[in-house]
């Protein structure tokens, strides 16, 4: 079973993402911000990380940069799930190493399809 780390400062958003992905057969862990997510990623191996951009303590783009610096996450799919749809933020995310960008509110089927594509 593929392990996914869902990172969002909104508990309700984390729960919605976790519910959607668990229903699709994934093992989902949750983190409330980039600091907690980075700590979890250093202690456990995830097949994919799905992160919000705007969070306290460490934002999603800083999280992506930090994960890409770890040997275990050099090629791991790192997706942004955010309300940010501006080109500037997207370019910043791509430059940091984000694999893809999903805009909230997300469509559960689209989320599962996107994750299915990058996890092949």
């Amino acid at each position: 079973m593929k392990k996914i780390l869902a990172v969002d400062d909104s508990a309700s958003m984390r729960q919605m993402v976790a519910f959607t992905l668990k229903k699709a057969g994934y093992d989902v862990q949750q983190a409330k911000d980039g600091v907690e997510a980075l700590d979890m990623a250093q202690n456990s191996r995830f097949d994919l990380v799905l992160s919000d951009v705007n969070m306290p303590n460490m934002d999603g783009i800083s999280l992506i940069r930090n994960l890409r610096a770890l040997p275990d996450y050099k090629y791991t799919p790192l997706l942004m799930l955010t309300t940010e749809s501006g080109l500037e933020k997207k370019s910043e995310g791509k430059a940091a190493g984000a694999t893809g960008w999903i805009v909230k509110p997300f469509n559960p089927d689209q989320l599962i399809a996107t994750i299915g594509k990058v996890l092949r």
Side-chain angles (χ1 to χ4, degrees):
M1 184 186 290
K2 299 277 188 189
K3 279 178 67 174
I4 296 177
L5 178 58
V7 191
D8 201 303
D9 57 329
S10 158
S12 58
M13 183 53 71
R14 282 196 312 271
Q15 286 165 346
M16 277 173 28
V17 168
F19 176 78
T20 301
L21 298 179
K22 283 177 181 171
K23 227 171 60 174
Y26 295 106
D27 173 9
V28 184
Q29 304 289 313
Q30 300 175 33
K32 67 182 179 311
D33 61 32
V35 174
E36 186 180 28
L38 187 60
D39 185 50
M40 290 171 74
Q42 287 168 324
N43 294 306
S44 183
R45 182 80 182 86
F46 292 95
D47 298 296
L48 182 139
V49 178
L50 183 65
S51 177
D52 185 15
V53 171
N54 300 310
M55 297 180 291
N57 305 319
M58 183 192 294
D59 70 355
I61 290 172
S62 301
L63 171 63
I64 300 268
R65 269 192 213 104
N66 280 292
L67 287 172
R68 285 289 180 230
L70 302 172
D72 277 352
Y73 290 90
K74 213 174 179 75
Y75 304 108
T76 302
L78 306 175
L79 296 175
M80 305 306 300
L81 176 64
T82 177
T83 52
E84 294 278 352
S85 57
L87 281 176
E88 197 176 307
K89 274 285 184 212
K90 284 184 180 176
S91 321
E92 201 184 332
K94 283 276 185 232
T99 310
W101 200 273
I102 300 165
V103 178
K104 291 179 196 168
F106 69 93
N107 169 318
D109 295 334
Q110 181 197 354
L111 179 66
I112 291 164
T114 303
I115 287 174
K117 276 185 209 147
V118 297
L119 275 180
R120 279 196 194 132

